[in-house]
């Protein structure tokens, strides 16, 4: 009887234990603006099928002093995937295209949540760096930011001068 | 365009472009855009979207100014002329009220083109190293044309029936305030059903949402069709209103 109770207690965790999740990053230097594709592999190592699995990606900025989770709104159009069923022994590969918005040191991981298990399954964190890219060219902005108001001021002064000359003052 | 109509347009242009006050208005626009550009240059932690965000905000500023100016100018168009006692002078010329309304609408369009041209160097300087500059500029031009027509036409319509310029201006400022609601309301409030409907029927909201979708989210033209269609329909309706009213006053 004791053995039976022990086995019954293990049942809720049987599904969770049967899922294995890993994620890989592209093998190249990543720069702001790049669109790399990360790949996750979900394996059902158990014999029983697992139903309704939700997979989602998470990104964390790990820059020293400003560590924070990243809102993926601008980074990824595909933030989650739903699998109706994963048979025992089956493997599901998912691709996670991303657009790298900001430079820094990051960690990415994928989480699988099933409707039946209390514990989510999480992959290991993949660490990577995004190299900065110059998004603003100051030599283009300074002349415009100073030049246009100065040009308009010059026009105003010219008009005033012309008017004063016309009135003979 | 008849010579008289051209003279009327010229008079309006002289009042604005050849006056210190008119140029001061353009100077103010350029100072605001300069401040925005310099904020971007001095920011050391820029993301890929900051150019696009700055371009979107600058476009928003241009649209807000266009909306405000078109509304104020529209409300002055007839009521102001009436108060300055220049409307009767205009009406003794072979120009009818409908032609005057048409000339005023054309002038507001020219005014918008001038505002757009003042902003153009800024858009190029900021956006050339970012995304969707070309698309953003095309959309901004046409959205600005439609907004300037809508708000000046509604302003002229109010101006035709208002008892005074002050009354017409007050009504138009309330219209502008309501139209600027996307800037005042939080995103969550605008996500509700009522908020979404209000966003669709508000021409200013349609314009800024289209710019957001095109410049920041890189959405294609096909996804803008509903908003652009609504804007075009509102523009058409708004332009017909004062012209119809002017025709009715004539008869």
């Amino acid at each position: 009887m004791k053995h039976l109770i022990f086995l019954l207690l293990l049942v809720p965790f049987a599904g969770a234990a049967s899922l294995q999740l890993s994620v890989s990053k592209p093998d190249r230097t990543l720069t702001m603006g790049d669109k790399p594709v990360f790949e996750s592999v979900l394996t059902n190592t158990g014999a029983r099928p697992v139903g309704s699995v939700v997979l989602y990606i998470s990104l964390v900025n790990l820059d020293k002093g400003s560590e924070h989770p990243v809102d993926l709104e601008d980074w990824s159009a595909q933030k989650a995937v739903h699998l109706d069923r994963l048979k025992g022994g089956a493997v599901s590969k998912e691709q996670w295209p991303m657009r790298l918005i900001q430079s820094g040191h990051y960690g990415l991981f994928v989480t699988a949540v099933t409707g039946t298990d209390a514990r989510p399954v999480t992959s290991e964190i993949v660490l990577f760096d995004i190299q900065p890219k110059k998004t603003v060219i100051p030599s283009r902005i300074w002349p415009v930011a100073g030049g246009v108001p100065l040009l308009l001021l010059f026009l105003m002064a010219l008009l005033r001068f012309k008017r004063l000359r016309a009135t003979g003052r | 365009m008849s010579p008289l109509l051209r003279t009327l347009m010229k008079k309006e242009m002289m009042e604005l472009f050849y006056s210190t006050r008119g140029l001061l208005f353009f100077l103010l626009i350029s100072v605001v855009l300069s401040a925005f550009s310099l904020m971007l240059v001095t920011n050391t932690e820029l993301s890929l979207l900051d150019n696009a965000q700055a371009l979107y905000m600058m476009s928003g500023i241009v649209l807000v100014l266009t909306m405000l100016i078109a509304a104020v100018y529209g409300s002055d168009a007839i009521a102001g002329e009436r108060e300055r006692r220049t409307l009767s002078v205009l009406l003794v010329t072979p120009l009818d009220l409908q032609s005057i309304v048409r000339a005023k609408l054309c002038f507001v369009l020219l005014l918008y083109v001038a505002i757009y041209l003042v902003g153009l160097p800024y858009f190029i300087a900021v956006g050339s190293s970012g995304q969707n500059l070309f698309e953003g500029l095309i959309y901004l031009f046409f959205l600005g044309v439609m907004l300037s027509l809508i708000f000046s036409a509604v302003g002229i319509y109010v101006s035709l029936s208002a008892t005074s310029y002050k009354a017409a201006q007050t009504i138009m400022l309330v219209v502008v305030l309501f139209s600027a609601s996307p800037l005042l309301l939080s995103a969550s409030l605008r996500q509700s059903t009522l908020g979404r409907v209000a966003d669709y029927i508000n021409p200013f909201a349609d314009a800024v949402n289209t710019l957001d979708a095109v410049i920041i989210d890189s959405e294609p033209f096909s996804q803008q069709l509903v908003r652009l269609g609504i804007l075009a329909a509102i523009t058409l309706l708004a332009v017909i209103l004062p012209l119809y009213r002017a025709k009715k006053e004539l008869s």
Side-chain angles (χ1 to χ4, degrees):
Chain A
M1 187 64 184
K2 270 182 186 175
H3 290 286
L4 186 65
I5 291 169
F6 178 71
L7 281 173
L8 281 172
L9 282 171
L10 272 181
V11 166
F13 300 106
S18 68
L19 288 179
Q20 269 185 7
L21 191 53
S22 66
V23 66
S24 61
K25 62 172 174 134
D27 284 334
R28 63 186 165 96
T29 314
L30 299 171
T31 310
M32 258 169 78
D34 284 354
K35 291 175 178 171
V37 178
F38 293 83
E39 194 177 80
S40 69
V41 180
L42 178 68
T43 313
N44 183 0
T45 52
R48 286 191 306 143
V50 179
S52 194
V53 185
V54 177
L55 286 164
Y56 63 90
I57 44 166
S58 304
L59 184 67
V60 188
N61 183 303
L62 298 168
D63 284 337
K64 268 192 178 164
S66 68
E67 294 88 346
H68 63 275
V70 176
D71 179 358
L72 288 170
E73 190 192 342
D74 299 316
W75 293 67
S76 172
Q78 184 188 307
K79 300 169 199 77
V81 169
H82 178 253
L83 304 172
D84 286 337
R85 185 182 162 90
L86 192 65
K87 285 180 188 169
V91 174
S92 171
K93 286 184 181 177
E94 298 300 334
Q95 296 207 317
W96 306 93
M98 288 196 106
R99 184 168 63 145
L100 308 180
I101 300 293
Q102 194 148 23
S103 61
H105 183 52
Y106 290 90
L108 181 139
F109 59 95
V110 178
T111 308
V113 178
T114 63
T116 48
D117 298 315
R119 282 186 202 175
V121 179
T122 307
S123 72
E124 284 189 358
I125 290 185
V126 171
L127 297 172
F128 60 96
D129 289 302
I130 301 175
Q131 301 302 318
K133 183 179 152 189
K134 219 171 186 177
T135 55
V136 163
I137 304 165
S139 60
R140 274 188 208 166
I141 294 179
W142 280 108
V144 173
V148 176
L150 282 178
L151 182 77
L152 288 166
L153 269 176
F154 173 74
L155 281 174
M156 278 171 74
L158 195 75
L159 264 174
R160 195 142 185 90
F161 175 71
K162 268 190 165 179
R163 197 165 297 159
L164 284 175
R165 230 172 57 163
T167 52
R169 271 193 267 170
Chain B
M1 193 183 274
S2 76
L4 267 168
L5 212 61
R6 217 175 300 150
T7 314
L8 184 62
M9 290 267 295
K10 205 172 166 187
K11 172 203 152 241
E12 302 278 354
M13 279 174 76
M14 293 285 277
E15 276 176 14
L16 188 82
F17 296 110
Y18 291 96
S19 68
T20 318
R21 212 163 24 155
L23 283 175
L24 188 70
F25 158 71
F26 290 112
L27 179 71
L28 280 175
I29 296 176
S30 74
V31 168
V32 172
L33 294 178
S34 287
F36 250 88
S37 319
L38 293 179
M39 268 187 239
L40 199 68
V41 175
T42 48
N43 187 350
T44 50
E45 287 180 17
L46 286 172
S47 84
L48 196 68
L49 289 178
D50 284 336
N51 295 65
Q53 195 73 43
L55 187 67
Y56 164 66
M57 288 175 92
M58 283 175 161
S59 308
I61 291 171
V62 166
L63 289 184
V64 169
L65 287 170
T66 301
M67 178 171 73
L68 194 67
I69 289 154
V72 170
Y73 182 80
S75 53
D76 173 74
I78 305 297
E81 298 273 9
R82 204 183 285 143
E83 261 181 33
R84 288 189 295 271
R85 297 177 195 283
T86 44
L87 185 66
S88 45
V89 180
L90 280 173
L91 287 173
V92 291
T93 64
L95 281 174
D96 56 35
L97 198 55
Q98 236 188 352
S99 306
I100 296 170
V101 169
R102 232 177 285 139
K104 301 269 182 190
L105 286 173
C106 285
F107 176 70
V108 175
L109 272 186
L110 271 180
L111 189 59
Y112 168 67
V113 173
I115 296 172
Y116 182 84
L117 289 178
V118 169
L120 197 58
Y122 293 96
F123 299 139
I124 293 171
V126 167
S128 58
S129 46
Q131 58 177 27
N132 304 322
L133 169 69
F134 183 66
E135 293 87 340
L137 286 178
I138 290 178
Y139 274 91
L140 174 64
F141 181 79
F142 288 107
L143 291 170
V145 164
M146 288 195 271
L147 279 193
S148 55
L149 278 176
I150 291 169
F151 284 91
S152 56
V154 173
I156 294 171
Y157 182 78
V158 171
S159 186
L160 275 162
S161 15
T163 47
S164 68
Y165 165 58
K166 227 177 193 173
Q169 201 180 38
T170 310
I171 293 169
M172 280 317 289
L173 286 178
V174 172
V175 171
V176 167
L177 191 71
F178 270 111
S179 303
S181 61
L183 304 174
L184 306 171
L185 295 177
S186 68
S188 55
L189 275 177
R190 288 167 57 205
Q191 285 303 311
S192 65
T193 314
L194 195 65
R196 279 184 193 185
V197 172
D199 257 12
Y200 270 116
I201 57 167
N202 177 354
F204 178 70
D206 281 322
V208 289
N209 289 339
T210 303
L211 283 175
D212 184 5
V214 170
I215 299 174
I216 296 175
D217 302 332
S218 307
E219 283 182 11
F221 177 71
S222 56
Q223 287 186 33
Q224 317 311 321
L225 281 173
V226 175
R227 277 193 293 255
L228 290 178
I230 293 171
L231 254 176
I234 295 174
T235 309
L236 195 71
L237 192 74
V239 171
I240 289 171
L241 268 175
L243 288 172
Y244 176 74
R245 179 73 201 253
K247 197 178 172 185
K248 224 171 120 185
E249 292 236 338
L250 273 177
S251 56

